[in-house]
Amino acid sequence: MPTSVFIVQSDLVEHPRKSRWPARLDLLQSGTGLALALFMWGHMFFVASILLGKTTMWSITRMFEGYFFFGGAYPRLVSGVAAGILLLFVLHALLAMRKFPGDYRQYRKMRAHVKAMRHEDSTLWIWQVYTGFALFFLASAHLYQMLAWPQNIGPYASSDRMWSDGLWPFYLVMLLAVEVHGGIGLYRLAMKWNWPKFSRNFLKKLKWALTGFFLLLGLMTLGAYMKIGFEHQARYGERYQPADLPLWLQELAPEGDFPRRNPPAEDAP
Amino acid sequence: MNAENFQTSRCITLNILRYNPQDKASEPRLQSYALEAADGMTLFIALNELREHQDPTLQFDFVCRAGICGSCAMMVNGRPRLACRTLIADLPDESTLTPLPFFALIGDLSVNTGKWMRGMSERLQTWLHAKEAEPDLERIEERMAPETAEAIYELDRCIECGCCVAACGTAQMRPDFVGAVGFGKIARFRIDPRDTRDDDDYFELIGDDAGVFGCMSLLACHDMCPKALPLKTQIAFLRRKMALVA
Amino acid sequence: MKTRITDVLVIGGGLAGLRAAIGAAKRGHEVMVLSLVPPKRSHSAAAQGGMQASLANVIKGQGDTEDIHFEDTVRGSDWGADQVVARMFVHTAPKAVRELAAWGTPWSRVKSGDREVIINNEKVTITERDAAEGLIAQRDFGGTKKWRTCYVSDGTGHAMLFTVSDQAIAQGITVEERCEALALIHDGERCYGAVARNLMTGELFACLARATVIATGGAGRLYRVTTNAVICEGMGHALALETGVAALGNMEAVQFHPTGIFPAGILVTEGCRGDGGLLRDAEGHRFMPDYEPEKKELASRDVVSRRMEEHIRKGLGVDSRFGPHLWLDITQLGRRHIEHNLREVKEICAYFLGIDPAEKWIPVRPAQHYTMGGVRTRHTGESPYLKGLFAAGEAACWDLHGFNRLGGNSVAETVVAGMIVGETAADFCDDPENDRAAPIALAREFVRREEAKLLALLQSNGEENAFKLCTEMQEIMTRCVGIFRTADGLQDGVSHLQRLLQRSRHIGVRSKTRGSNPELVAAYRVRRMLKLALTIAYGAYQRTESRGAHFREDFPARNDRDWLKRTLAFWPQETEEEATLPRLEYEALNVNEMELPPGWRGYGAKNHIEHPDTAERQFAVERTRNHVQLAGGDRFALQQELMPYLDKLPARLQGRNERLDEPL
């Protein structure tokens, strides 16, 4: 019918609705960023457990491998988490890339702009780009490592990686990049969505305080692993075995492991 | 009495970007001008003095010279400011003046903000979309809560000077970005009970990467706005509302 | 030659021009606006205080009507106004406010209940009616009997201009930004548009139009100390003057605003005094009640400015290195009020003076503020001398303000005049009587003429410097044609200006580019400004009386007997290049047609010389009043009897205005 054609043309085709995707992608970028940043903070606390002693770190590692729940250690669980994080990370990177300078000319313009403006939040953004770019490589490498060899986490295994395998510079750079990137990112999220509704001044201070705290914690932790690695280099490859565990943990451990005072090895390679 | 009474004069240097895009032989360059600072001298007075006594070819824009019309925004030592209310006394002995980036250059310090702003207005339809085409002029006006009127005026104070766009990192990379000025306008009409548009309509205007989802929240717009508009919270608010639409 | 053809050409993108453009466009005509700057940068934006319209919403405005607004306006004008125009204006002003409200202007609104205000330096509690809650609020302004000034915080002009400009964008009206009209295209009888110059490229083009509207605002830049923007150089006035056919009216009527920031001349709004601010002298003494016990700080602007200068002459001003000044004290209004209702004032004080007005007094001295004179038009806005030429707003003299404009009547006038002239210009275009073939040859001739003038300037080896001439002119105007005028001073001023005009024929420009060239612009403008300055100074010299803002120390009384007439200035056409003085003619005001016969203003000096017809007219008015009252007629009936005007308004503006106390 000619009339219906007319209606379709005038009413429906003329005004295609704007795509909802940019909105969703922006939300997703914020969401993945938030998840990654919160994960990083948790991760940092777990890793820093080495400062409380090798046994604590060993216990936490074992906990994530399900040792206290499933009657045995399953490092593949860690692989699973790593895979999840990798997925989040890749997604976040892809989304964030949309905001990166598209070519060298844009980058030059942006850098000149930031330099001329001497504006803190703009300067922070360019640092977020730098650190984000670095994390493309560093975080990917680290995540792949955890994905492929989840068993290589532990008081000695990790320390050997730092020292004897010579990876400490890698971790140092990654630490700086992650903390700077995450801190700025969280602050910007708060600005972007105006939540939590604290004053910008306070949030900025909080951001610096948190970044400082986690950097300090991270450096101390890195130092601790390096020290253990240095002392342990002669026995490279040996796994940590706790001499003792608090009683409540012994009770959670697979039956027979601790009453026999014969704990399992960290895991045979 | 105090030291400033004894200070007779101060010589300052202004490095001004000179470029005439109409003249094929012209190349962008910084030209230095020396000038004696006077009491209460603003960049408005200083630049006019330069033009009248040193260099009649110098191009710049001023209209109200009282910080109301938004004509004279320029980069003063790298940051966008209204030149008319920039006191020489607050500047270092040597300063650099360049035109606002992003906008089409007319010559030297003069840029075509007007053309861009009109384009932005047309694109974002920054006028009241009223219920009736022709209001009844004889009847008592529609009522509005005093607080609502104040809130609208708070956002209506924008003078379209372009400082926010010049300060915006996103705009540096996205020539189609609507800028804080555009968001401010949408926020203004959004809270106006006389406007018939809803969030779905506004989403059509700013719900993309050239709009509110392209903004990277660098907040230079908020920090550089000469009228101290609450751009930070308004843009965040719009983003939330637009995200809800999606 | 590039030729653009349109129905209505509007020169000037401020409130008056844009509103006229919208009106004509809504009537279905093609409209083009030429604007020196992006329209939202126009000087209309600088009007801070408000717009008068007798809405009578606030309790202190209760009982206000068009009648009282009319009387205030006529008294303010010192009886120089055209009373029919004043009637048309006060009738349309409420409609203008309401139209703007419907278009989006965020007028400040009435909050019902008690609030504290400062009246005559005392805290007073007033109670707003519940019925008025949410209606448009009014504040007090100088020279008004009621609180009548509608406002948007202290950014009224800004908010109005943005509303109207956005509506113009919505209508898709073409605005040629950064384009200047150089000359009107006319044949001595009919105006056909204008020759325009693109200030960015230097290109000249012809704009042919059926109706041409001049809405270019004031000419404050003729003076050294002015509140006006730098673009207010009177170029619209000059366009009309240079035709040699059209007349400028009452150019000697120049208003000085009492509170220009000293010494920059930046305006602080009358709202400061309206809201309770005081004027103080070197000793901190509040001196205005000594001079004006009734209205004090809130007498009309001409009176307050004159009293201030008088006080300074007595040696009671505050000395500074730039000369004496007085203080404006708004500290008693309190920080909250200043930061909410007078924010622009606070910003201006902070940026230009480095002071906080909630704590310190503001140094002020009267500064040139408003050009009452303008392109003489009929009540339709059309020039009686050049068909097809219209004018609206400050550039026009349809004669709403006479010799002194009331605060709050300027932005009101812009919109009202725009509403009316938009319609009359559209009517003009609709009338087949006015159809003419587009005169291309004439346009070519005018473009060629302007081209030649520019070329001559560029090629001139003259020694004169345009910027210097301009400064000299401004000094002379401020010194000789300011608030206090004398025959000697004016004569001195006129002869100085004549010499300057002669010298301006030998201007040389150093920068030879034909494109964007600020020095070239200054050169061709200063010649025109000098002609305007001469019409002002010469008109002032000839007018041997004091009226409104025109004050002659040697003739301190208003002289209705000899001077109840409007000055018309023409620039001699035949000898355009040699003439150094305008030709003046006078147009008598008819007392017998006045609704409000001349009398005392209610403030200022009580020394006027009566017009012979005044007594008779007063008697006639009284008699009519009694008749109408006996016959049970209301105020509308009385008004209709005294001076009918409604038929002169466009039909859609003729209806009555509803008020809380005056339902339709």
Side-chain angles (χ1 to χ4, degrees), chain B residues 45-121:
Chain B
I45 299 169
L47 285 170
N48 274 293
E49 205 171 299
L50 287 184
R51 179 146 88 188
E52 286 171 24
H53 299 297
Q54 295 192 30
D55 189 341
T57 64
L58 201 52
Q59 292 186 57
F60 49 77
D61 293 320
F62 287 98
V63 177
C64 76
R65 58 86 173 87
I68 292 166
C69 75
S71 300
C72 64
M74 58 180 71
M75 303 300 267
V76 181
N77 294 324
R79 291 175 157 210
R81 297 186 66 158
L82 295 183
C84 72
R85 60 182 209 190
T86 301
L87 286 165
I88 295 292
D90 297 338
L91 292 181
D93 287 345
E94 186 165 346
S95 290
T96 302
L97 307 180
T98 55
L100 287 190
F102 188 81
F103 300 99
L105 183 70
I106 293 170
D108 301 340
L109 299 173
S110 172
V111 291
N112 203 339
T113 47
K115 190 177 159 203
W116 190 87
M117 292 294 170
R118 165 109 189 197
M120 179 273 297
S121 281

Side-chain angles (χ1 to χ4, degrees), chain C residues 72 115 243 260 399 407 445 472 492 534 567 582:
Chain C
D72 283 344
R115 69 189 173 113
T243 60
D399 217 353
E445 171 57 22
E472 281 184 47
D492 187 39
L534 276 157
T567 310

Side-chain angles (χ1 to χ4, degrees), chain C residues 611-662:
Chain C
H611 190 278
D613 296 347
T614 300
E616 193 187 327
R617 178 61 182 165
Q618 260 161 358
F619 180 72
V621 168
E622 270 320 300
R623 199 180 44 205
T624 311
R625 190 184 307 276
N626 291 337
H627 269 307
V628 172
Q629 267 166 9
L630 276 179
D634 57 5
R635 66 183 187 92
F636 299 104
L638 172 63
Q639 201 288 321
Q640 174 68 22
E641 279 300 308
L642 288 174
M643 191 184 72
Y645 72 95
L646 265 183
D647 58 317
K648 299 194 165 60
L649 281 168
R652 60 180 289 268
L653 300 178
Q654 288 181 1
R656 287 187 186 171
N657 298 307
E658 187 184 22
R659 294 183 181 79
L660 280 180
D661 299 320
E662 207 170 42

Side-chain angles (χ1 to χ4, degrees), chain B residues 4-5 20 22 39-40 42 44 48 51-59 61-72 81 84-87 106 110-115 117-118 121-122 126-128 130 133-147 149-150 152-154 156-162 185 188-189 192 194 226-228, chain C residues 26 37-38 40-41 45-46 48 55 57 95 98-99 101-107 109-111 131-136 152-155 158-159 162 166-167 169-170 172-173 175 177-178 200-201 221 226-231 264-266 321-322 340 343-344 347-348 351-352 419 465 467 471 510-511 515-516 518-519 652-653 655-660 664:
Chain B
E4 74 177 27
N5 284 12
N20 179 2
Q22 280 192 57
D39 213 41
T42 57
F44 163 71
N48 274 293
R51 179 146 88 188
E52 286 171 24
H53 299 297
Q54 295 192 30
D55 189 341
T57 64
L58 201 52
Q59 292 186 57
D61 293 320
F62 287 98
V63 177
C64 76
R65 58 86 173 87
I68 292 166
C69 75
S71 300
C72 64
R81 297 186 66 158
C84 72
R85 60 182 209 190
T86 301
L87 286 165
I106 293 170
S110 172
V111 291
N112 203 339
T113 47
K115 190 177 159 203
M117 292 294 170
R118 165 109 189 197
S121 281
E122 284 170 352
T126 63
W127 55 85
L128 192 88
E134 286 296 326
D136 185 345
L137 300 184
E138 287 155 29
R139 297 275 163 200
I140 287 183
E141 63 275 9
E142 238 178 83
R143 288 168 203 268
M144 181 188 278
E147 299 76 22
E150 256 181 60
I152 296 171
Y153 177 63
E154 189 61 27
D156 206 46
R157 283 163 47 240
C158 170
I159 53 174
E160 298 190 2
C161 60
K185 305 246 162 210
R188 178 241 175 275
F189 288 105
D192 196 323
R194 296 166 292 192
K227 291 283 150 185
Chain C
K26 284 198 169 171
V37 294
K40 284 175 181 165
R41 315 249 187 262
Q48 297 165 13
L55 297 187
N57 290 331
K95 297 183 170 60
R98 286 170 177 166
E99 181 178 77
W103 284 358
T105 305
W107 296 110
R109 302 288 173 145
V110 180
K111 184 150 194 63
E133 168 81 17
L135 296 180
I136 294 170
V152 182
S153 188
D154 67 350
H158 165 88
F162 272 54
D166 283 339
Q167 287 295 322
I169 295 172
I173 289 169
V175 181
E177 295 177 5
R178 294 173 188 263
M200 295 180 285
T201 62
R221 287 281 150 181
T226 174
T227 63
N228 283 191
V230 300
I231 51 170
I266 293 169
R321 77 166 87 173
F322 300 105
H340 274 80
R343 181 157 46 186
E344 207 72 57
E347 268 185 31
I348 286 170
Y351 283 106
F352 298 97
M419 288 168 87
N465 176 316
F467 297 119
T471 311
R510 288 163 283 174
S511 154
S516 173
E519 193 190 15
R652 60 180 289 268
L653 300 178
R656 287 187 186 171
N657 298 307
E658 187 184 22
R659 294 183 181 79
L660 280 180
L664 285 183

Side-chain angles (χ1 to χ4, degrees), chain C residues 415-430:
Chain C
V415 184
V416 168
M419 288 168 87
I420 294 173
V421 173
E423 298 294 328
T424 53
D427 290 343
F428 182 87
C429 293
D430 282 343

Side-chain angles (χ1 to χ4, degrees), chain C residues 435-510:
Chain C
D435 288 349
R436 298 282 185 284
I440 303 290
L442 189 69
R444 187 192 301 281
E445 171 57 22
F446 270 85
V447 170
R448 196 199 53 73
R449 215 185 284 174
E450 290 308 310
E451 188 95 55
K453 280 190 210 164
L454 293 179
L455 210 62
L457 265 175
L458 286 171
Q459 290 168 346
S460 156
N461 296 317
E463 297 282 291
E464 297 292 347
N465 176 316
F467 297 119
K468 248 181 87 186
L469 287 177
C470 187
T471 311
E472 281 184 47
M473 171 196 69
Q474 291 169 334
E475 295 288 345
I476 294 168
M477 290 300 284
T478 301
R479 197 175 66 236
C480 306
V481 202
I483 295 178
F484 290 104
R485 300 169 176 181
T486 61
D488 289 348
L490 288 167
Q491 199 164 27
D492 187 39
V494 169
S495 52
H496 260 98
L497 290 169
Q498 285 179 296
R499 275 200 297 281
L500 283 184
L501 182 60
Q502 279 159 347
R503 280 169 60 193
S504 76
R505 290 167 186 153
H506 309 287
I507 290 177
V509 290
R510 288 163 283 174

Side-chain angles (χ1 to χ4, degrees), chain C residues 186-382:
Chain C
H186 69 98
D187 56 11
E189 284 170 7
R190 169 79 189 260
C191 178
Y192 295 102
V195 179
R197 177 170 183 267
N198 182 326
L199 292 169
M200 295 180 285
T201 62
E203 184 191 31
L204 291 191
F205 58 101
C207 305
L208 287 172
R210 299 202 273 167
T212 305
V213 183
I214 292 178
T216 49
R221 287 281 150 181
L222 298 176
Y223 287 81
R224 183 170 53 81
V225 183
T226 174
T227 63
N228 283 191
V230 300
I231 51 170
C232 301
E233 297 181 309
M235 289 302 101
H237 294 78
L239 282 177
L241 186 68
E242 286 197 329
T243 60
V245 186
L248 299 185
N250 284 347
M251 286 302 285
E252 64 269 33
V254 177
Q255 182 173 79
F256 292 80
H257 195 288
T259 56
I261 280 191
F262 186 80
I266 293 169
L267 175 74
V268 286
T269 172
E270 184 152 328
C272 288
R273 280 171 295 134
D275 291 359
L278 308 175
L279 291 168
R280 297 185 188 276
D281 63 16
E283 287 149 21
H285 172 63
R286 180 188 177 197
F287 59 91
M288 275 311 291
D290 306 345
Y291 297 105
E292 296 294 333
E294 218 161 303
K295 297 291 289 183
K296 305 179 185 72
E297 279 84 358
L298 287 172
S300 65
R301 287 177 178 170
D302 57 327
V303 172
V304 178
S305 290
R306 213 147 45 229
R307 297 303 193 188
M308 287 170 75
E309 289 295 325
E310 198 177 333
H311 205 64
I312 287 175
R313 281 182 169 193
K314 289 182 183 165
L316 293 163
V318 187
D319 281 322
S320 83
R321 77 166 87 173
F322 300 105
H325 64 80
L326 295 161
W327 298 114
L328 172 65
D329 171 13
I330 57 170
T331 56
Q332 65 281 359
L333 305 187
R335 182 169 297 280
R336 211 200 102 80
H337 183 88
I338 291 170
E339 285 176 2
H340 274 80
N341 294 18
L342 300 168
R343 181 157 46 186
E344 207 72 57
V345 174
K346 188 182 141 72
E347 268 185 31
I348 286 170
C349 288
Y351 283 106
F352 298 97
L353 296 169
I355 63 160
D356 175 359
E359 311 242 319
K360 287 198 165 153
W361 297 346
I362 308 166
V364 292
R365 189 170 180 178
Q368 192 284 346
H369 183 59
Y370 191 81
T371 313
M372 270 80 73
V375 181
R376 177 73 186 127
T377 73
R378 300 192 182 100
H379 61 81
T380 54
E382 193 183 6

Side-chain angles (χ1 to χ4, degrees), chain B residues 231-246:
Chain B
L231 295 170
K232 174 180 94 80
T233 40
Q234 290 306 320
I235 297 174
F237 187 68
L238 279 182
R239 185 179 287 114
R240 273 155 52 172
K241 294 295 168 193
M242 293 304 109
L244 277 180
V245 171

